[in-house]
Amino acid sequence: EASRRTKPVITCLKTLLIVYSFVFWITGAILLAVGVWGKLMLGPYISLIADNSTNAPYVLIGTGTVIIVFGLFGCFATCRGSPWMLKLYAMFLSLVSLAELVAGISGFVFRHEIKGTFHRTYTDAVLNYNAEDEASRAVDNLQHRLRCCGVYNYTSWLASVYYPSNGIPASCCVNSSDCNMDDLRNATLAPTKVYHQGCYELVTSFMETNMAIIAGVTFGIAFSQLIGMLLACCLSRIITANQYEMV
């Protein structure tokens, strides 16, 4: 009689948990896709953002893969109605939730440190620019894509080792067809041919604007995982109490 009354509750919880696990699985797939995109698209810029090559894309790829595996495990555990599997799934969700909260808080708290690191590495890349190494190619990519020049403005280039013999790099040019080496060496003409916006300000203002959104999304996902954890725990307890297991 008791199991007959609890059967609709169990079915309802199972349905909710399967839907939740599917959404969780999609989250993993998105993280994996962002990680792969980050590795392919942001690869040239990563040397400017971090002192040494950052593992952020690999962390996203790894996390996404683990979430996809556990999302499938969550669906299997729910369909199977196994209490120990559900408890394991709940434990995993709580760990992921905790890790995301720590990552979100760290990113928000240390954003000024990230800006400081970017300022230092980008200034070094500009001063030691040679148009050939990885950092120099990253500077060119950044300047060309963001339509900016130098750290604060084009005058950052005047102190670089590249400027005395080559002038300001061509990646600073507003119009590449109307911008030659002689113009870029000319202290009077060069300012009229290059972007006046500094790259540091553009990148950091973008970070400031988006950091709050990223932190909000992270906390939202972490909270949603707590819901999944509660669903898994409730289902596990009801199944255990009623010795009900779906075959």
Side-chain angles (χ1 to χ4, degrees), residues 149 152 161 178:
C149 188
Y152 291 108
V161 293
D178 180 33

Side-chain angles (χ1 to χ4, degrees), residues 121-129 139 143 150-151 156-157 160-161:
T121 52
Y122 192 65
T123 304
D124 285 348
V126 166
L127 294 177
N128 299 306
Y129 178 90
V139 168
Q143 292 189 149
V151 182
S156 308
W157 287 104
S160 70
V161 293

Side-chain angles (χ1 to χ4, degrees), residues 138-150:
V139 168
D140 282 336
N141 268 325
L142 192 72
Q143 292 189 149
H144 182 67
R145 288 202 177 186
L146 297 185
R147 301 184 176 193
C148 57
C149 188

Side-chain angles (χ1 to χ4, degrees), residues 31-42:
L31 280 179
L32 180 63
V34 169
V36 172
W37 175 83
K39 183 65 196 148
L40 296 175
M41 300 299 291
L42 303 179

